[in-house]
Amino acid sequence: MAAPAVRSGARARGAVTDAAGVVILGGCAVWSLVAAAGREARPEGVLLAVLAVAGGYACGRICGSLLPVAAASAAALAMAVALRRPEDGLPGDLPGAAAAGHSLGSTGAAAALLALASGAACCAAWAARPYPLRIALRLLALGVAVTGLALGSVAGFVAALGVLLCSLAAARINRRMVGLAGLALATGLVVGGSWAMAEDALPSGLAVSLEGQLTVNRVLLWQDALDLAKEHPARGAGPDRFGRLSPTARQTPHGDGKPHSAPLQLAAEQGVVGTSLLGAVFGWMLYGLWRSPRDTPVVLTAGASLTALAALAAVGNALSFTAVTAGAGVLAGLATARRLSDDASGGTFTADAAAEAEAPARGR
C-alpha cells in the first residue's frame, strides 16, 4: 500500500510544480505585452524565449519519461551540434564582445550550450545502469568540454568541465536541498556582483580588475540599463528598446542594442516585475529539481548546469539565443521526468521517492 501512496504523492507534487511553471511562464509572456503596450516596442523576443523554454521543458519531460538515457544523450549531442549553426551566431565568445572591440573568450551562448550539453551527458550517465555506458557518457561530457577549447571558448571549457566535476561530486551529497541552495547562492552572488558593478558599488581595486575583463563598454551598457530601470521602475522602457535609448549602445559600432546581462536588460525594459519574473523562472526550475522523483545526483547535475547558464546570462547575452533557452527547458524537463518504467514496476523510483517522503532531511 505504501508504494501506490508514494507514487500518488509524487504525481500531486509534480502537478503543483507544473502548474506553477504555467503561471510563471504565462506571467512572463503577459507582462512583456503589458510593458510593450502603447510603445514602439517588440515583445516578440521575450515571447519566443518563453515558448522555447516551455516547449523544451515539455519535450524533456516526455522523452525523459520514456527513454531517460537515450533522450539525455541525444540532447547533449544536439546541443553540441547547435554550436555550429551560423544563423545563431555560434560558436563564439561573449555576444557583443566583438562590438566592444574586445573578445573576452569567457562567456557567451557557446559556453552556455557547452554547459547544458555537459549536464545532459552527465544526467544520462547517472540514469544508465551498465557501468561501461556510464563511463562512455562521462567521456562524452569530457569531450564536450574539450570542444570548448577547440572552439576557442575558455568559458565553455571551464563551464562544461565544472558541470562534470559537480556531477561526480554529487554522488557524495545526500541532501539535495543543501546542494540546490548552494547553487542558488552562487547565482545570486554573480547577479549581485554584476548589479554592484553597474552601481559602481564595488571596491576600486576589484572594480578595476573586473572592468579589465568585462571591458569598459560592457560596464557602460550595464550603467545605462540601470539608469533606465531607475527612470522606468514599474513597466520599464519597453521590450527591445534598450538599443534606442542607451547612449552607449547608440555609439557602439556594430552593436546589437543589448546590455548583455539578462537581469539588467529585464530591469531596463520591463521594470521590477520583469526582473522578478526572470528570477521566478530560475526559482521554479530549482524547485522542480528539489521535488523531482529522479535520483539526487541527476538533480544536482542539472542544477549545476542551469546555474552555469544563469551565471553566463548575468554577464552576457546567452538567453537571447533560442537554442540556449530551449536547451535549458529540455534539461530541466529531463531532470524532473518521472520514468514510466519505474512507475510501472515500483522499482528505483518508488524506493527513492519513499526514502525522500519518509526522511526528507536525508533525501533533500
Side-chain angles (χ1 to χ4, degrees):
M1 296 297 294
V6 169
R7 287 197 293 270
S8 177
R11 290 193 187 95
R13 292 193 298 269
V16 171
T17 303
D18 293 342
V22 170
V23 171
I24 293 172
L25 292 177
C28 292
V30 171
W31 184 253
S32 68
L33 297 176
V34 172
R39 300 165 170 172
E40 294 182 2
R42 297 177 59 87
E44 295 89 343
V46 177
L47 297 176
L48 180 59
V50 171
L51 180 61
V53 172
Y57 182 78
C59 181
R61 284 288 294 271
I62 294 171
C63 296
S65 296
L66 299 174
L67 299 167
V69 178
S73 302
L77 293 173
M79 293 174 197
V81 171
L83 288 166
R84 297 189 174 276
R85 291 181 58 187
E87 60 270 26
D88 282 342
L90 301 173
D93 299 318
L94 184 67
H102 179 72
S103 178
L104 299 179
S106 57
T107 51
L113 281 174
L114 288 167
L116 292 173
S118 178
C122 291
C123 286
W126 281 116
R129 298 305 178 193
Y131 184 73
L133 181 56
R134 285 192 173 190
I135 296 298
L137 289 169
R138 286 176 180 139
L139 288 176
L140 173 61
L142 181 60
V144 169
V146 173
T147 301
L149 287 180
L151 296 175
S153 175
V154 177
F157 170 75
V158 172
L161 185 62
V163 170
L164 174 58
L165 294 177
C166 288
S167 178
L168 295 174
R172 299 181 176 274
I173 301 176
N174 294 323
R175 299 181 62 181
R176 65 175 62 178
M177 177 181 288
V178 174
L180 292 173
L183 295 174
L185 177 61
T187 303
L189 289 175
V190 175
V191 173
S194 63
W195 205 284
M197 191 71 183
E199 283 274 20
D200 197 19
L202 294 176
S204 58
L206 178 59
V208 170
S209 177
L210 291 176
E211 189 176 88
Q213 297 294 320
L214 295 167
T215 74
V216 175
N217 181 273
R218 185 168 306 277
V219 175
L220 290 175
L221 288 172
W222 290 358
Q223 292 174 349
D224 287 351
L226 197 58
D227 290 340
L228 285 173
K230 293 177 179 178
E231 293 176 13
H232 309 276
R235 285 202 305 154
D240 202 31
R241 296 190 69 205
F242 176 82
R244 284 172 280 174
L245 300 176
S246 165
T248 305
R250 291 198 303 267
Q251 297 170 8
T252 300
H254 310 294
D256 59 3
K258 299 183 184 299
H260 301 286
S261 173
L264 288 170
Q265 180 172 351
L266 267 294
E269 296 183 345
Q270 297 188 41
V272 64
V273 176
T275 308
S276 300
L277 286 170
L278 178 64
V281 171
F282 183 67
W284 163 66
M285 288 187 173
L286 291 186
Y287 177 79
L289 291 174
W290 176 50
R291 307 297 288 184
S292 171
R294 302 297 298 275
D295 295 338
T296 295
V298 174
V299 166
L300 294 181
T301 297
S305 186
L306 293 173
T307 297
L309 169 60
L312 292 166
V315 297
N317 200 28
L319 295 186
S320 294
F321 295 86
T322 305
V324 175
T325 51
V330 168
L331 183 60
L334 288 170
T336 56
R338 184 178 66 251
R339 295 180 296 187
L340 294 182
S341 58
D342 291 336
D343 197 13
S345 64
T348 304
F349 163 70
T350 301
D352 290 345
E356 291 194 2
E358 296 172 3
R362 290 185 290 105
R364 296 173 190 165

